[in-house]
Amino acid sequence: MSRRSKSASLLIVSSLALISACSQKAASVSDDDIRVSNLEPLPSIAKSMIGEERQIKPSEPDYVPEPIAQSLKAQAAKWPKGEKIAGALSFCSGALVAKRLGAKSACEIYSIEPERSCIEQHGYGKNSIGQSLTADRRDLNGDGVKDYIISDRYYCFSLSANAGSVYFVMLSNSKKDFTLAYADWASSGIVVVDDKVKGEPVLIEQAEKSYGKFSTIYELRDSKYVAKACILNDEKGYSACPLREPQSGFD
């Protein structure tokens, strides 16, 4: 083979390698975001208990204390469209109480959900919102205090009719209290990964589809979690996808 033929062959091989690399990773997707999206989620202790309604004890690891739940509701109500999701939290808590009361309930429990007016009239669930929620506990902001990653424990049509999951993140603050940093009523699922390179936990929303996996990476800005990058991993490799901000209320 001539020197010119060898040079041409090397150029073709190099070009093919470049094309292959481009097909594996879009230019707008960083290597670091791809690395983070592939980290193994930390184990979750949050429990979904559909059909197993019962009193949750404070000793249970996924228990949500009532002061945390009430603070969550009050703070959520101040977010855009948040009054509706705060109302849904109250109603779903009341519906849970009515269901647990069974025949003793003053509200109809055999339909999809009791009437809202009946729940409000009798004050069901007003002071037990935490019973309808479940939580993971992770120190997300590095202050040594375990924060709350809260989701709905039981199916409730008012919250879950969107076929998604409800997620809230309550972060500890300097006042020894917790601040609402994330709220999404239509999430595909929130996980936490341990980024040992940067030495911090990272919040990721993951959605598995038949054609690939979506990963939305969140970062903390001014005490709120905002979407940083969205990555689609499919048969073509990695590519950027549109950022989806959390839906903090109902349309």
Side-chain angles (χ1 to χ4, degrees), residues 205-219:
E205 179 183 13
Q206 292 185 338
E208 294 280 356
K209 303 292 183 180
S210 59
Y211 53 87
K213 183 178 77 172
F214 288 88
S215 298
T216 301
I217 301 171
Y218 288 90
E219 64 180 358

Side-chain angles (χ1 to χ4, degrees), residues 156-179:
C156 179
F157 188 81
S158 291
L159 279 175
S160 306
N162 53 69
S165 298
V166 181
Y167 280 91
F168 306 96
V169 175
M170 297 285 280
L171 289 180
S172 57
N173 56 41
S174 58
K175 299 178 181 179
K176 296 183 179 181
D177 200 353
F178 290 83
T179 302

